[in-house]
Every structure is written in C-alpha cells, then in structure tokens.
Amino acid sequence: MSCITKCLTGDDKINTLSLKGTDKTEDYHHKSTGMTCKSSSFFAKTIMIVGTATLGVAATQASHIPSDWIQMSQFLAYNNPIDETAANILDRLSTSTDLSVVIAGVTTFLSFVSFIASVRPVAKKSQYFIDVLCYTISCCLCTFMFFRLLTNVVDFQSHCSNTLPGVQDNPTMHPGAPGYDAFCDGCVHRIWIIFILYGGLMGSTGIAWLSNWCGLLCKCCISHKSNGD
C-alpha cells in the first residue's frame, strides 16, 4: 500500500529520479543537483508537433465540408438509396471532424502547459502533478477519439464503393466526378489521415502517462551525481 501511495503522490518517481526542481532551501539559479529528467520536455514537444498536425488537417476538413455539402449530398443520395440519408452521414462526418478539432486543440494546449512546466524552475511536486493532469486528460481524450474514428472511417469508406444492384459501371464512383472527389478523395482521405494521427497521439500520450507514473519509462535520464557533476 505504501508503494502505491508513493506512486500516486509522486514520491517514488521524485526519489528514484531525483527530479530537478526548486526547494525552499535551494537557490535554483546557482544550484542543480540530482538527475534532470528530459522525458517531460521530450513528450511535450512530440505531442505538440503531432497535435498541431492533427489540428491542421481536422480544421481543413471542417472548412471543406460546408463548401462541398451539395456535391457530397447528391453523391451519397444516389449511391445509398436504402441506407441512412445523406444528411445523416454528413452530420456524423461533421460531428467527428468538430470533435477532432476540439480534442486536438485541447491536447496541444495541455502538452504546451507540460512543456512550460518542464523548462521553468517549478517545484518537483508541481512538475509531477502538472504532468499527471496533462497526460491523463490528453491520453483519455485521444483514446476516445481514436476508437470513435476507428468505427467511423470504415463506415465512411464503405460509401466509396459501388453498392447499387444491377449497376456494374457506376459513373459516380470514379475520380473526376464532383461528388466522388469531394467525399472520397477529399473528406474520407483526410479522415483516414486524422485517424492515423490520433493513433500517434494516443500512443505518445499513453507512453508519456506511463513514463510519468513512478518514472517507469524514465530510465534515460542522466545521473549527474554518478558522473561527478
């Protein structure tokens, strides 16, 4: 029980890694002792890069849906006469895109907060709990969005193949058709990219969370004491 308590409060990680930080008795402008853990800064910068890319692609998607709505509606209405309506399909696409924008923005912001905490002289406990908050929220949000997109991309992709009975050469299912270009080569292609990027975000935030918890994956830190520094 004491081990779990130390992990949750950060004592185990701080004692094991001797995180560089400010103490009441330490003039941090002149002293730095123990190990300096670079993982927080590394993960924060990695997540910021991937999060910004995800935000850019998702924002591009959000701007294209309204402008191509008519072409995509006609395309989906013609090729899905029995299934759900074209409006419902595009509404689900818009909802997934909007959620992708929001979650990518939140994740990027939280990683920026973690990065600031890792490069500023904050207290050890503060650094630990800031990372706990940022990585836990980011990991949960990215995992949720990844699995939501996992089901959506397969469904959206299914509308880009000919399912009309008796129609062998569907003229709308070829590049060059306005609806096909807007929906399949445009929105579905971008939603796949967003899905892959969220896989990267889920993995990086998950590893960052594990690295922060008790420093289990933080063994790359350099011991200044052992080197005589």
Side-chain angles (χ1 to χ4, degrees):
M1 193 67 183
S2 61
C3 177
I4 297 177
T5 302
K6 288 181 179 180
C7 288
L8 293 177
T9 58
D11 289 345
D12 191 61
K13 178 184 178 182
I14 290 171
N15 292 334
T16 303
L17 300 176
S18 300
L19 290 177
K20 181 181 177 181
T22 62
D23 291 327
K24 292 180 179 179
T25 59
E26 179 182 74
D27 182 3
Y28 55 83
H29 293 292
H30 303 287
K31 286 189 199 176
S32 60
T33 60
M35 299 162 119
T36 304
C37 183
K38 302 294 185 182
S39 67
S40 292
S41 176
F42 169 77
F43 283 123
K45 287 185 285 188
T46 301
I47 296 168
M48 276 193 292
I49 293 171
V50 181
T52 302
T54 307
L55 183 61
V57 177
T60 301
Q61 176 87 307
S63 66
H64 276 74
I65 293 176
S67 60
D68 296 330
W69 188 278
I70 296 177
Q71 295 93 324
M72 293 190 294
S73 296
Q74 294 173 343
F75 171 79
L76 292 170
Y78 176 78
N79 289 285
N80 300 276
I82 301 177
D83 297 337
E84 63 179 324
T85 64
N88 287 340
I89 297 172
L90 293 178
D91 284 341
R92 287 195 293 108
L93 178 63
S94 297
T95 301
S96 293
T97 301
D98 293 341
L99 279 174
S100 298
V101 171
V102 172
I103 292 177
V106 171
T107 301
T108 304
F109 173 75
L110 290 175
S111 63
F112 176 73
V113 172
S114 175
F115 175 74
I116 294 299
S118 68
V119 297
R120 297 293 296 173
V122 298
K124 301 173 185 179
K125 286 282 188 181
S126 299
Q127 178 184 346
Y128 174 79
F129 283 110
I130 287 173
D131 285 348
V132 166
L133 179 65
C134 293
Y135 294 145
T136 300
I137 295 175
S138 298
C139 184
C140 291
L141 290 175
C142 291
T143 302
F144 162 77
M145 198 65 222
F146 175 80
F147 285 103
R148 181 187 175 91
L149 289 172
L150 179 62
T151 58
N152 285 342
V153 292
V154 175
D155 178 64
F156 295 144
Q157 186 67 53
S158 67
H159 297 294
C160 293
S161 58
N162 183 26
T163 57
L164 294 176
V167 178
Q168 302 203 354
D169 186 15
N170 189 338
T172 67
M173 285 294 176
H174 296 287
Y180 184 90
D181 288 346
F183 184 75
C184 299
D185 283 350
C187 289
V188 175
H189 179 71
R190 280 189 292 269
I191 207 75
W192 273 105
I193 296 176
I194 295 171
F195 168 70
I196 293 171
L197 288 172
Y198 264 105
L201 281 176
M202 182 182 68
S204 57
T205 54
I207 295 174
W209 183 83
L210 289 173
S211 176
N212 190 63
W213 196 73
C214 294
L216 294 176
L217 303 179
C218 219
K219 303 305 182 183
C220 60
C221 301
I222 302 173
S223 174
H224 298 293
K225 286 183 178 179
S226 62
N227 292 333
D229 295 337

